[in-house]
Amino acid sequence: MRTAEPLHLRLLRLLRDHGTISRAELADRLEIPRPRLLGEIDRLVALGYVAEAGMAASRGGRRSTLVELNPRLRFAAVDLGASSVDVEVTNGRLEPVAAYTESADIRSGPKVILQRVNELLAKAKVDGAYEKLDAVGIGVPGPVSFRDGVPVSPPIMPGWDRFPVRELLTREHGCPAVVDNDVNIMAVGERHGGVAHSVDDFLFVKIGTGIGCGIYLSGEVYRGTDGCAGDIGHIQVDSHGPMCTCGNVGCLEALFSGAALAKDATLAARNGTSPALVDRLAANGTVTARDVAEAASEGDVTCIRLIRDGGRRIGGVLAGLVSFANPSMIVIGGGLAHLGHILLAEIRSVVYRRSLPLATGNLPVVLSELGPRAGVTGAAVLASDVAFEQAS
Amino acid sequence: MRTAEPLHLRLLRLLRDHGTISRAELADRLEIPRPRLLGEIDRLVALGYVAEAGMAASRGGRRSTLVELNPRLRFAAVDLGASSVDVEVTNGRLEPVAAYTESADIRSGPKVILQRVNELLAKAKVDGAYEKLDAVGIGVPGPVSFRDGVPVSPPIMPGWDRFPVRELLTREHGCPAVVDNDVNIMAVGERHGGVAHSVDDFLFVKIGTGIGCGIYLSGEVYRGTDGCAGDIGHIQVDSHGPMCTCGNVGCLEALFSGAALAKDATLAARNGTSPALVDRLAANGTVTARDVAEAASEGDVTCIRLIRDGGRRIGGVLAGLVSFANPSMIVIGGGLAHLGHILLAEIRSVVYRRSLPLATGNLPVVLSELGPRAGVTGAAVLASDVAFEQAS
């Protein structure tokens, strides 16, 4: 059964998303009686969530005072990738006040990686980014039990299964923490500050080292019964296809992902079918997905074909998901999104041809606006939500 | 934003699902103060939704009076199939007091079919099943705008596009009406009184003339942006497969559905690969999906293979949907569910092998309990909900 959002959550989110605002306008926007609002604001000021911010311009009668989130609020947002760590510290309005990005292998295990996260946060503190954190949000590249705050059987994260990530961060920083899947936090970020702003039903498809899907239904992240909804990288697209790391054959991400594309590109460089990739292999010793993107933009036909083939595979899976879920938008993000419009055109072509016309009549298929910042943005949103919930 | 369920809805649903109950127990179950409950009951008695039903056994103090739904409440539940009309009239507890089933071709168009529905309901009235209907619920075999109460571009329902089904029924019977997709009402029925009782996240897969999927997420039917979520019959499973009625090739329902199976079975009878089907074709002039089921249960290897091939196709699509949606149950219903355990075993085998282990660790794949009554049961549930909403 659905329950209404508590007033303090609605109020704090409004201040987070709209900034400084007068008491009078708050009462109008939240549609609640003024005495109740004023009492609630006083309570949140006393708790340190809200601060006074001077007088508003007159609306005719008595001038209303402005309020804002306490300028000292600080959230830590962490996005762990297969091979990278992104850490941001934000203020209450989710504007970054410190940001760090570095390489790290998730397979080093939770102790090493979370130690490094804590070191980066300690550095931010020394640099003056915060005195005390109010919440930490973290995304990890694998399935998560959102309720328990732990990764669950994550295929590419050896040593992380059921590791108490939330508990460790809570203890270390003395504040609430929230753990989610990396694709879910990207979807949350894109809805908060990107192309899916205020869209209630959409799919965020991450095409990177692996492939995953963040699902927004009726305005909320849908995580499924075990927290692993959106694991579309292992949908079989070719029963005669190559072996996947998961042990099955012909999975989507075995055919098209950062790893699969680099492998196909290396082959095309070695057998000479792509002159552009031959040059790059000779110059750098390896070829990557980024080389394919560059060569394609220079008109290399083999690279264009590789991207189109991949787009066709992704499009086929998405066409099925559109028929199933009937979303109102599809956002394409992740490292391979930089393959850009060749990829997007092929995905669109398959989705529009293969799905029910009713479902695609008004269905934008678009690139992520936030790009590599989608993850940390979403982690900051989740951190602020969990901090605001404490204000009950 | 989520809103709490109003008291009158919670109260009326409790009486619908649990029957006669004392005022004291109602107060306990709904966890609301007794004075507020008693006021609400008085209001619902005055409106004709609730009736007194004698005295409860003593719980120590003053004896509490029993209440129940007004015994005169009546709902009409209608399930339109591609070739059948099912009509039930139920009491407030959704127990049938009259039921009619007959053949009808949905392609006859809305005027002919709804005229026949109204004739059957008029007959039920003459037979004494009701004096006045309190609501009508109807399921149709195609996409529906639930908000507008009209079919939208339904592929197998010529003449029905945007026909004002809800408006016509409301005017004819002087009560609210609700229109939904036939697979959705089956899912609603199965959750109310079948194997998915109280399960919040499940897929109801109908395998009949066509193939469709009812989706329950977080305890509510998920209909998608345009009301066509769950249209899985046209997911492509073989890019070299046969032409589908929708104009694409290799759709799931072009490869396995009542129509596809009858075609394959006729071929097997004509070319003599199935002795059991040769006999049936000679005896009856045609062979149907039911003949395949019977021949398979007698051990006919060709028929067993046809069912297994179909199960493998369905299983492949469901494996992808399990990876995507991570449901906690899959229910198989519709006419072809009578293919029984050979079909179910094959579906299970593919789903358990092909989906993420985390998602299938505790995932029952089961047959519908309500069988052909799933649709009318769900239509009655929707009718009661829309009637109860009027009591605000």
Side-chain angles (χ1 to χ4, degrees), chain B residues 334-356:
Chain B
L336 261 58
H338 65 62
L339 296 175
H341 285 88
I342 302 176
L343 178 66
L344 204 58
E346 194 66 30
I347 293 174
R348 283 179 177 144
S349 144
V350 178
V351 168
Y352 293 150
R353 192 172 68 237
R354 289 270 349 150
S355 313
L356 190 72

Side-chain angles (χ1 to χ4, degrees), chain A residues 201 222 225-226 230 324 326, chain B residues 201 222 225-226 230 236 324 326:
Chain A
D201 300 78
Y222 181 74
T225 302
D226 304 288
F324 176 75
N326 185 204
Chain B
D201 299 78
Y222 181 75
T225 301
D226 305 288
Q236 189 180 54
F324 176 76
N326 185 204

Side-chain angles (χ1 to χ4, degrees), chain A residues 217 319-327 356 358-359, chain B residues 141-144 180-184 187 202-207 210-217 221-235 252-253 317-318 321 324-325:
Chain A
L217 300 179
L321 299 182
V322 167
S323 293
F324 176 75
N326 185 204
L356 190 73
L358 179 57
Chain B
V144 164
D180 206 344
N181 171 268
D182 62 341
V183 190
N184 286 348
F202 71 96
L203 307 183
F204 182 97
V205 182
K206 177 198 165 195
I207 316 175
I211 291 180
C213 182
I215 307 168
Y216 253 96
L217 300 179
V221 176
Y222 181 75
R223 297 187 173 84
T225 301
D226 305 288
C228 61
D231 185 52
I232 66 171
H234 299 283
I235 292 180
L252 178 59
E253 73 176 47
V317 168
L318 291 184
L321 299 182
F324 176 76

Side-chain angles (χ1 to χ4, degrees), chain A residues 169-183:
Chain A
L169 291 170
T170 297
R171 210 167 43 208
E172 177 75 21
H173 301 283
C175 65
V178 57
V179 186
D180 206 344
N181 170 269
D182 62 342
V183 190

Side-chain angles (χ1 to χ4, degrees), chain A residues 120-297:
Chain A
L120 290 170
L121 288 173
K123 179 167 156 43
K125 190 172 188 176
V126 170
D127 292 349
Y130 68 93
E131 283 172 32
K132 187 186 167 335
L133 290 174
D134 295 283
V136 182
I138 185 168
V140 304
V144 164
S145 167
F146 188 72
R147 200 195 51 197
D148 299 340
V150 299
V152 181
S153 311
I156 64 161
M157 300 170 68
W160 288 80
D161 188 23
R162 296 238 153 239
F163 187 87
V165 176
R166 184 176 64 202
E167 194 187 323
L168 188 144
L169 291 170
T170 297
R171 210 167 43 208
E172 177 75 21
H173 301 283
C175 65
V178 57
V179 186
D180 206 344
N181 170 269
D182 62 342
V183 190
N184 287 347
I185 63 169
M186 293 170 89
V188 171
E190 205 67 45
R191 183 166 191 266
H192 179 80
V195 67
H197 188 63
S198 81
V199 176
D200 278 347
D201 300 78
F202 71 96
L203 307 184
F204 182 97
V205 182
K206 177 199 165 196
I207 316 175
T209 311
I211 290 180
C213 182
I215 307 168
Y216 252 96
L217 300 179
S218 310
E220 300 190 0
V221 175
Y222 181 74
R223 295 184 173 86
T225 302
D226 304 288
C228 60
D231 184 52
I232 66 171
H234 299 283
I235 292 181
Q236 189 180 54
V237 294
D238 181 356
S239 58
H240 306 290
M243 180 69 98
C244 180
T245 50
C246 76
N248 274 315
V249 295
C251 294
L252 178 59
E253 75 176 46
L255 281 148
F256 187 68
S257 61
L261 187 59
K263 205 172 77 180
D264 290 345
T266 304
L267 191 68
R270 294 232 169 94
N271 65 21
T273 49
S274 162
L277 291 180
V278 170
D279 296 348
R280 284 172 171 82
L281 181 63
N284 310 322
T286 65
V287 287
T288 64
R290 188 163 291 276
D291 292 318
V292 176
E294 286 174 14
S297 71

Side-chain angles (χ1 to χ4, degrees), chain B residues 49-138:
Chain B
Y49 288 91
V50 170
E52 307 279 344
M55 302 297 282
S58 173
R59 296 206 302 185
R62 214 160 31 119
R63 285 168 70 200
S64 178
T65 51
L66 296 168
V67 291
E68 63 182 3
L69 286 178
N70 189 328
R72 274 184 307 214
L73 280 182
R74 289 293 181 276
F75 305 122
V78 183
D79 182 8
L80 301 182
S83 56
S84 62
V85 173
D86 282 273
V87 173
E88 276 193 13
V89 176
T90 79
N91 61 20
R93 299 209 53 206
L94 310 189
E95 295 154 339
V97 293
Y100 310 93
T101 296
E102 53 181 51
S103 300
D105 188 341
I106 195 78
R107 291 171 299 182
S108 312
K111 283 181 189 151
V112 172
I113 295 290
L114 294 176
Q115 171 68 26
R116 190 59 197 142
V117 166
N118 288 334
E119 285 165 9
L120 290 171
L121 287 173
K123 179 166 154 48
K125 190 171 189 179
V126 170
D127 292 349
Y130 69 94
E131 282 173 32
K132 186 184 169 334
L133 291 174
D134 295 283
V136 182
I138 185 168

Side-chain angles (χ1 to χ4, degrees), chain A residues 5-25:
Chain A
E5 299 263 22
L7 175 58
H8 66 275
L9 267 188
R10 293 168 58 208
L11 200 159
L12 292 169
R13 284 185 186 150
L14 194 63
L15 293 176
R16 174 189 74 192
D17 300 341
H18 293 86
T20 305
I21 192 168
S22 73
R23 283 175 155 89
E25 197 182 340

